[in-house]
Amino acid sequence: MAATADTPMRDVMGVSGPSGAAVDMTSDPSAAEVRLPARPESAALVRRLTRDLLRDRWLLSRQLTEDAVQLAAELAANAVQHAGAHSFGLLVRRRRGWIRVEIRDPSRALPCLLPPGRELDLNGRGLFLVDALADRWGVDLLPRGKSTWFELRLTGR
């Protein structure tokens, strides 16, 4: 069963939501939005859920899977760092020729693509990386927050 905004999160891998309930690693982000706690360790859960879906279920290429995993984790990290919320959502869709990964959070503040800073800067490269690797990306305002998404083309990879 996929976790939703109304479904409690169960503790898995030591990550639990604000209510003390935890994340269910059997959740399917292609069936429904999976809610995750807005904590740094949730990026690892986003990577695992995305990798398991794209590689194991959809049998997509290694390179496409790794690109999607990296970009999903970057967007999740942005939601954790900037949205100021207790949780965020992961949703992955596949349609003919494309995959789309969305990170949803309750903030309506739009992300800003900044040029990369100095070589040694460790922060601020997430959207730059998304812009460089994704075929398309953007932000959709939702009734309660936003969805920051990217799409990767399935053909030619």
Side-chain angles (χ1 to χ4, degrees):
M1 178 174 113
T4 64
D6 299 321
T7 305
M9 294 181 267
R10 294 182 317 211
D11 195 8
V12 175
M13 296 176 55
V15 179
S16 60
S19 66
V23 179
D24 181 356
M25 286 306 295
T26 63
S27 296
D28 180 359
S30 69
E33 179 179 308
V34 175
R35 300 297 303 171
L36 299 161
R39 298 197 341 216
E41 52 270 25
S42 289
L45 298 172
V46 167
R47 284 191 292 273
R48 181 172 168 194
L49 288 167
T50 304
R51 183 176 290 114
D52 289 352
L53 177 63
L54 273 56
R55 183 188 63 202
D56 299 341
R57 278 199 36 223
W58 291 350
L59 306 174
L60 299 180
S61 74
R62 181 182 164 278
Q63 185 61 55
L64 182 126
T65 297
E66 290 309 312
D67 287 350
V69 165
Q70 183 174 12
L71 299 182
E74 293 290 347
L75 292 184
N78 283 351
V80 169
Q81 185 174 13
H82 301 294
H86 292 290
S87 65
F88 66 92
L90 169 66
L91 186 63
V92 182
R93 298 283 188 214
R94 181 177 183 176
R95 61 178 185 194
R96 181 176 289 258
W98 294 90
I99 61 160
R100 179 182 179 114
V101 177
E102 298 182 36
I103 297 292
R104 296 177 171 192
D105 66 64
S107 171
R108 290 179 64 82
L110 299 177
C112 184
L113 175 62
L114 300 173
R118 297 175 303 155
E119 293 283 328
L120 300 176
D121 286 347
L122 297 177
N123 293 324
R125 297 188 186 274
L127 282 181
F128 181 77
L129 194 60
V130 172
D131 190 56
L133 292 178
D135 291 300
R136 296 190 291 223
W137 73 275
V139 180
D140 295 330
L141 291 177
L142 304 172
R144 293 187 178 157
K146 69 178 175 296
S147 168
T148 307
W149 55 268
F150 66 86
E151 293 180 337
L152 296 172
R153 190 181 320 267
L154 295 177
T155 57
R157 285 188 182 259

